[in-house]
Amino acid sequence: MDIRASTVLPARREDIELQTADGLTLVGEVASPESRPPVATLVCLHPLPTHGGMMDSHVLRKASYRLPALADIAVLRFNTRGTTSDRGTSQGSFDGGEGERWDVAAALEYADFHDLPNPWLIGWSFGTELALKWGRDPIVRGAILLSPPLKRAGEKDLVAWGEFGRPLVALVPEHDDYLRPEEAARRFAAAPQAEVVGVEGAKHLWVGEPYVRIVLNEIVKRVNPAAAPLPTTV
């Protein structure tokens, strides 16, 4: 069977709730390999909720549909404060990336407490800024950023990530609306270990199955290299 945009592969899927330090309950899901423990975990930080971003934003949803089965990776997705998806609505209200620091911390605390191994942050657009600003937790193995705008997060956050020392990979669309590969290479130089990967033909929203496959393969190459490249049939 060819893996298509709508393909959902077998996994253990569990609805979860995250509790933030400032008293909110956030809704989410963990998808894990069906019959064996995961080798690593993606903690997904979604795009801007005021522009439709949520835990079901398509690249993150497709990661949860495919990577547990194809790469032995657990995928933790959740709605940041005030965000709604089919899973439900997280308490609180959008705070421009500031109060969301507690949301990131709650997700990492959940991963740690539930023994989800080797957590990597996967941020997309707004989520990349949450990763850079609030993701420098000792349990984090690295971060992969999809379409980073570098608006709320800037040079001081990149310098701090450089000092943090964990891997940092930015996947930057050739035709991004906010930050394109050449400028991204200059700006990410503030974090010496940062790797900028320009993706030819791609746009900010990664629309189209070929671009989803590129993103998921780039993630797996860093998080579980033994599973790369991902198959296109099952």
Side-chain angles (χ1 to χ4, degrees), residues 9 45 55 77 81 87 90 104 120 123-124 126 134 137 156 223 234:
L9 298 176
L45 305 174
M55 62 179 276
R77 298 177 298 136
R81 56 190 58 209
R87 170 70 182 88
S90 290
V104 176
W120 281 71
W124 181 3
F126 172 69
W134 313 124
D137 186 285
K156 68 181 180 64
V223 175
V234 290

Side-chain angles (χ1 to χ4, degrees), residues 156-181:
K156 68 181 180 64
D157 302 297
L158 290 168
V159 169
W161 194 282
E163 294 169 350
F164 181 47
R166 305 298 164 84
L168 183 65
V169 181
L171 303 184
V172 182
E174 179 187 11
H175 303 300
D176 196 272
D177 299 316
Y178 305 105
L179 184 69
R180 296 189 176 185

Side-chain angles (χ1 to χ4, degrees), residues 19-26 81 91 95 99-103:
Q19 306 299 324
T20 70
D22 60 343
L24 301 180
T25 298
L26 313 179
R81 56 190 58 209
Q91 291 179 347
D95 194 37
E100 285 82 0
R101 68 186 301 170
W102 308 117
D103 304 353

